[in-house]
Amino acid sequence: MAFTTFFDHIPTIAYEGVESDNPFAFKWYDAKAKVLGKSMKDWMRNSVCYWHTFRGMGGDPFGPGTICRPWEDGTDSLDQALRRTEVVFDFLTKLGVEYYAFHDRDVAPEGGNLTETNANLWAVAKQLKKLQDATGVKLLWGTANLFSHPRFNQGASTSPNADVFAYCANSVKEAIDVTKFLGGENYVFWGGREGYNSLLNTDLGREGRHFAAFLGMAVDYAKSVKFRGQFLIEPKPCEPTKHQYDFDSATVLGFLERNGLADHFKLNIEQNHATLAGHDFNHEIAFATSVGKLGSLDANRGDTMNGWDTDQFPTDFREAAQAWLYIHQNGGLGSGGLNYDAKVRRDSTDVDDMFHAHICGIDTWARGLRIAEKIIKDGKLAKVLKTRYASYDKGIGAEIDKGRTDFRSLQAYIVKKGEAAPNASGRQELLENVFNSYV
Ligand code: XUL
Ligand code: CO
């Protein structure tokens, strides 16, 4: 039963298989199909983001929004925010996803003062709770927008203005409370303005200490209110600032370790952020997995010809297939999911395009999962990897891995041997052929 009529012309999106030419159907995503011991739905945990899909109207730095949604009255009022929630849940249920994610400012407008702003957020949160209960859709994660308003123009918790730091504390406290109230499974920190544009006006040491103190207070607060969701940091190297402190996964983890915070966070990795940092998406996912910190994914894609965050819907099922190898190794995404942090292009102006975009993103990741299943079941690639490190399974290698060697004993070993054993071929081209054979 729909709450509104805006999607009446669109059928409920169902799995019809690759033979289907129905544009409003999944070709690869069969929610209930068992893959590698779990349903596709349980592997994927698909989520729609509120900001792009319901608040993005196609504006860019060269021109205003081009998209007029029939349910929008052109205001950012609380009334409009409340009415919009029903449309959101109609979209989620018609698409058949189980999760959504939002920033505080996506769902509720600022008021005349901070007390009103907090009240607005709670008014909408109560409405969201009703809709969640009525539809069974769940909150993947909540977060606070600490980057759009002009008060954040010099940073959020790393602003030189201490009042802004205090303002952010209010926002994150309320956003954690609301996320907890809605049963959110994670809470995300993306530090869009946590960085700098010029070192001439920036005290790096001081900003780093403020950032760590802020995250520490968030951890303490969550503990004090028994918020059980997973804290996630979303790395991004730049945009909007020239240099952002959460540059990439390795930088974030180093920062957390240095400040005694590593136990409390995992990573939310986004494809287009990885490529802006000069990494493959899969580099970031494999790294996070290797250190036990893979939390969730913002599934989107950039454009290799552009140097900014284009936030397009995923289409690359080969990349997704490789990602699933690491996610599988990780035992799944845990409390995380695939959040389609992507927006339709500014010339894709119809309501129908919202569906086509998400169907494509979900099918891309579903197709990748089916390819990964073949790779994992076959075991050829895993065997090559195991063999490549076999010198550590016995002899001196096993001694090294068990921590039983030092420079003296290693010197004695290799001097006696006279030269290292020859390297076997890395066989990259063969492995690329093998990978292609599953696609
Ligand atoms: C920005 C971005 C954000 C975060 C949440 O590039 O990805 O939307 O996902 O703040
Ligand atoms: Co994101």
Side-chain angles (χ1 to χ4, degrees):
M1 231 327 256
F3 303 105
T4 70
T5 55
F6 297 108
F7 307 125
D8 278 2
H9 64 294
I10 290 174
T12 298
I13 312 299
Y15 172 69
E16 292 187 5
V18 282
E19 304 305 325
S20 165
D21 66 357
N22 175 5
F24 293 106
F26 292 119
K27 313 285 185 300
W28 300 90
Y29 178 64
D30 182 1
K32 293 203 187 95
K34 276 266 185 325
V35 176
L36 296 164
K38 261 201 274 201
S39 68
M40 290 189 111
K41 174 168 141 280
D42 289 346
W43 279 113
M44 292 177 63
R45 299 166 58 82
N46 292 308
S47 161
V48 168
C49 80
Y50 214 104
W51 50 103
H52 288 314
T53 301
F54 288 96
R55 304 310 310 277
M57 296 299 151
D60 75 7
F62 300 95
T66 49
I67 297 171
C68 300
R69 297 292 181 219
W71 52 85
E72 294 287 328
D73 65 8
T75 69
D76 193 18
S77 65
L78 180 59
D79 263 5
Q80 169 69 78
L82 289 166
R83 270 184 278 117
R84 185 185 297 119
T85 57
E86 297 196 332
V87 187
V88 173
F89 277 75
D90 277 345
F91 179 74
L92 297 169
T93 45
K94 196 139 245 191
L95 187 63
V97 294
E98 336 150 65
Y99 287 101
Y100 72 116
F102 65 78
H103 302 81
D104 50 2
R105 286 297 75 79
D106 306 331
V107 297
E110 291 207 1
N113 56 47
L114 200 42
T115 307
E116 260 177 52
T117 299
N118 291 342
N120 284 353
L121 179 61
W122 280 100
V124 181
K126 284 178 190 142
Q127 167 82 355
L128 293 172
K129 177 91 171 64
K130 276 193 212 145
L131 292 165
Q132 285 186 197
D133 291 345
T135 59
V137 174
K138 295 175 277 188
L139 180 61
L140 186 67
W141 48 265
T143 186
N145 176 332
L146 306 178
F147 45 88
S148 292
H149 192 279
R151 77 175 69 82
F152 306 120
N153 70 358
Q154 300 182 37
S157 69
T158 62
S159 168
N161 179 352
D163 273 2
V164 174
F165 186 101
Y167 194 100
C168 294
N170 166 84
S171 302
V172 173
K173 177 186 169 296
E174 293 297 301
I176 290 173
D177 288 342
V178 159
T179 301
K180 179 178 180 240
F181 170 71
L182 294 173
E185 298 183 26
N186 308 270
Y187 183 90
V188 166
F189 294 83
W190 171 62
R193 304 280 173 192
E194 310 291 30
Y196 66 84
N197 292 313
S198 170
L199 279 177
L200 295 176
N201 63 13
T202 303
D203 182 339
L204 276 186
R206 211 155 181 188
E207 294 204 0
R209 287 193 293 280
H210 292 160
F211 196 16
F214 191 83
L215 294 177
M217 287 184 218
V219 168
D220 291 344
Y221 181 71
K223 206 168 158 194
S224 76
V225 295
K226 299 193 168 48
F227 171 62
R228 309 261 181 240
Q230 173 68 52
F231 270 6
L232 300 169
I233 294 193
E234 182 175 325
K236 186 176 182 183
C238 55
E239 201 207 15
T241 70
K242 166 186 143 72
H243 178 97
Q244 278 167 215
Y245 298 132
D246 292 333
F247 194 92
D248 62 2
S249 299
T251 308
V252 168
L253 283 179
F255 175 83
L256 293 171
E257 292 281 359
R258 200 155 66 241
N259 290 289
L261 292 164
D263 287 350
H264 308 286
F265 292 85
K266 286 188 176 179
L267 297 162
N268 181 39
I269 296 173
E270 176 164 328
Q271 199 273 3
N272 206 166
H273 296 182
T275 54
L276 286 176
H279 299 307
D280 288 343
F281 190 22
N282 277 314
H283 164 86
E284 288 290 85
I285 297 174
F287 171 74
T289 303
S290 74
V291 293
K293 289 293 181 191
L294 181 62
S296 197
L297 297 179
D298 269 9
N300 64 10
R301 87 182 138 104
D303 183 315
T304 45
M305 306 306 280
N306 283 340
W308 68 88
D309 196 5
T310 60
D311 282 337
Q312 288 167 252
F313 279 84
T315 52
D316 188 347
F317 50 84
R318 294 169 56 91
E319 184 176 58
Q322 194 172 347
W324 282 114
L325 302 181
Y326 309 114
I327 302 169
H328 180 257
Q329 198 179 318
N330 197 57
L333 287 165
S335 63
L338 293 176
N339 178 51
Y340 298 89
D341 187 356
K343 57 188 171 200
V344 293
R345 300 301 90 186
R346 73 198 296 269
D347 49 341
S348 298
T349 47
D350 290 349
V351 159
D352 301 24
D353 297 314
M354 295 163 60
F355 286 90
H356 297 314
H358 284 87
I359 290 169
C360 180
I362 292 171
D363 261 349
T364 294
W365 278 83
R367 188 168 177 182
L369 179 56
R370 290 175 187 266
I371 296 168
E373 180 187 37
K374 287 193 250 167
I375 297 176
I376 291 164
K377 279 193 169 158
D378 192 38
K380 220 180 275 166
L381 287 178
K383 199 167 157 216
V384 171
L385 205 58
K386 173 124 181 58
T387 312
R388 189 155 188 247
Y389 293 87
S391 73
Y392 284 90
D393 293 339
K394 56 181 185 337
I396 193 71
E399 295 297 301
I400 294 171
D401 269 5
K402 284 179 190 143
R404 291 201 197 126
T405 55
D406 59 18
F407 274 8
R408 285 189 183 80
S409 62
L410 288 168
Q411 184 180 42
Y413 163 82
I414 200 69
V415 166
K416 187 167 170 225
K417 201 164 177 187
E419 181 51 271
N423 291 324
S425 168
R427 298 251 187 270
Q428 179 175 329
E429 296 74 12
L430 169 68
L431 298 176
E432 286 166 349
N433 288 345
V434 172
F435 188 90
N436 277 353
S437 73
Y438 300 107
V439 177

